[in-house]
């Protein structure tokens, strides 16, 4: 039987807990079953669980854990037992000091008012600590998501950069091959022009050589008429 429930403490339905913790209603039932099979006790109305603030804290711990859920549930149950043992010691201490309470109703009222205020302040502090812890868990989760997004962006950027480098390298190789082919074509054309010039020069030399031979033959025949000499130039 739960002994940590405070008078007039607010109770939550499964739907309200799901909205408060940020999980689906079936997940609330699943977490409740995990807690129960590891020794956790819920307030119940028949078979229906009734949740209080400490139960919400336990569900948040299951939601945010990185360990197996059963291991976390065992840790939660252990912490609850330690907390309840501490509460029992406090109750015993209060019982032992009951005889020392003032008998004046006015003074007794002041003592009770002081205790009520202290209890309210403690509850408020616990709620604030719970909210702060939940907010911290949310920030850590967001930071992890941001880290994942940044890592993915860096990886995608590196892939795009490598792809651009490969494309530029391929384009550069194609450009070099095109220039090399053009230079080969120019070289071949130049060699052909040089060969044509050599062929023409050989023809000129051959023609000049024939002319010189005919001239020499004509000079070696002085008895022939000058008309024969002029006929050589006309050929």
């Amino acid at each position: 039987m739960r002994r940590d429930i405070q008078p007039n403490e607010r109770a939550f339905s499964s739907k309200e807990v799901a909205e408060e913790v940020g999980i689906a209603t079936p997940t609330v039932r699943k977490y409740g079953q995990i807690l129960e099979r590891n020794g956790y006790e819920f307030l119940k109305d028949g078979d229906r669980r009734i949740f209080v603030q400490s139960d919400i804290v336990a569900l948040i711990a299951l939601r945010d854990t990185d360990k197996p859920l059963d291991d976390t549930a065992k840790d939660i149950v252990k912490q609850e037992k330690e907390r309840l043992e501490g509460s029992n010691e406090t109750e015993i201490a209060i019982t032992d000091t009951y005889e020392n309470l003032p008998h004046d109703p006015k003074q007794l009222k002041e003592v009770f008012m002081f205790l009520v205020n202290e209890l309210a302040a403690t509850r408020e502090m616990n709620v604030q600590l719970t909210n702060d812890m939940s907010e911290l868990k949310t920030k850590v989760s967001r930071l992890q998501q941001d880290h994942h997004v940044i890592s993915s962006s860096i990886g995608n950027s590196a892939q795009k950069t490598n792809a651009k480098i490969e494309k530029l390298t391929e384009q550069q190789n194609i450009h070099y091959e095109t220039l090399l082919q053009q230079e080969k074509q120019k070289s071949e054309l130049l060699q052909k022009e040089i060969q044509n010039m050599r062929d023409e020069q050989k023809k000129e030399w051959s023609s000049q050589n024939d002319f010189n031979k005919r001239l020499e033959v004509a000079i070696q025949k002085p008895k022939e008429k000058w008309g024969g000499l002029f006929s050589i130039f006309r050929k």
Side-chain angles (χ1 to χ4, degrees):
M1 180 68 182
R2 291 282 292 270
R3 297 187 302 274
D4 61 326
I5 308 301
Q6 302 297 329
N8 299 323
E9 185 167 0
R10 180 186 173 185
F12 298 85
S13 65
S14 297
K15 183 178 179 182
E16 290 173 333
V17 171
E19 295 176 354
E20 184 75 16
V21 180
I23 57 178
T25 303
T27 306
V28 174
R29 289 194 291 269
K30 173 186 173 183
Y31 286 175
Q33 292 170 356
I34 293 172
L35 287 168
E36 284 182 336
R37 73 166 174 250
N38 286 281
Y40 193 92
E41 294 184 3
F42 288 97
L43 286 176
K44 285 191 174 182
D45 180 11
D47 293 333
R48 186 172 64 89
R49 297 184 186 89
I50 300 175
F51 299 90
V52 294
Q53 187 63 43
S54 58
D55 299 330
I56 293 177
V57 174
L59 295 176
I60 291 174
L62 281 180
R63 181 198 66 185
D64 297 334
T65 185
D66 294 328
K67 299 191 301 183
L69 295 179
D70 283 299
D71 292 345
T72 302
K74 291 177 182 178
D75 293 340
I76 293 171
V77 171
K78 182 179 178 182
Q79 293 172 4
E80 281 294 309
K81 288 181 179 179
E82 293 175 352
R83 186 171 67 85
L84 289 177
E85 289 175 357
S87 298
N88 290 336
E89 292 176 358
T90 303
E91 291 174 1
I92 293 172
I94 292 174
T95 303
D96 292 339
T97 57
Y98 177 76
E99 295 179 355
N100 297 325
L101 290 175
H103 296 284
D104 185 356
K106 186 175 181 180
Q107 292 179 352
L108 187 60
K109 181 178 179 181
E110 291 178 355
V111 170
F112 281 137
M113 288 299 297
F114 174 79
L115 292 175
V116 168
N117 292 334
E118 287 294 318
L119 181 60
T122 302
R123 286 182 181 176
E124 185 177 355
M125 184 179 296
N126 288 337
V127 171
Q128 185 63 40
L129 288 174
T130 301
N131 293 336
D132 292 343
M133 183 178 294
S134 177
E135 184 178 354
L136 182 59
K137 292 286 187 180
T138 302
K139 288 182 179 179
V140 170
S141 177
R142 289 177 181 174
L143 287 174
Q144 291 175 343
Q145 292 177 359
D146 292 342
H147 175 72
H148 177 70
V149 171
I150 292 171
S151 299
S152 300
S153 299
I154 292 174
N156 293 335
S157 178
Q159 291 179 354
K160 291 180 181 179
T161 302
N162 291 333
K164 288 182 180 179
I165 292 174
E166 291 177 357
K167 185 176 181 180
L168 289 174
T169 302
E170 183 180 358
Q171 292 177 349
Q172 190 175 21
N173 291 335
I174 294 173
H175 181 66
Y176 285 156
E177 291 177 359
T178 303
L179 290 177
L180 181 60
Q181 188 66 27
Q182 291 176 353
E183 290 297 324
K184 286 182 179 180
Q185 293 175 355
K186 289 180 181 179
S187 178
E188 291 175 356
L189 291 175
L190 182 59
Q191 290 178 358
K192 288 182 181 180
E193 290 180 359
I194 292 174
Q195 187 63 39
N196 291 334
M197 292 176 64
R198 287 177 178 175
D199 293 341
E200 290 179 0
Q201 189 175 19
K202 286 181 180 180
K203 289 180 181 180
E204 290 292 332
W205 285 349
S206 178
S207 177
Q208 185 66 36
N209 191 29
D210 291 342
F211 176 77
N212 291 338
K213 286 182 179 180
R214 290 196 302 271
L215 181 61
E216 184 179 356
V217 170
I219 293 173
Q220 289 176 356
K221 295 179 180 180
K223 293 181 180 181
E224 294 182 1
K225 296 182 179 180
W226 286 98
L229 180 60
F230 291 117
S231 64
I232 295 173
F233 291 99
R234 288 195 296 268
K235 291 182 178 181

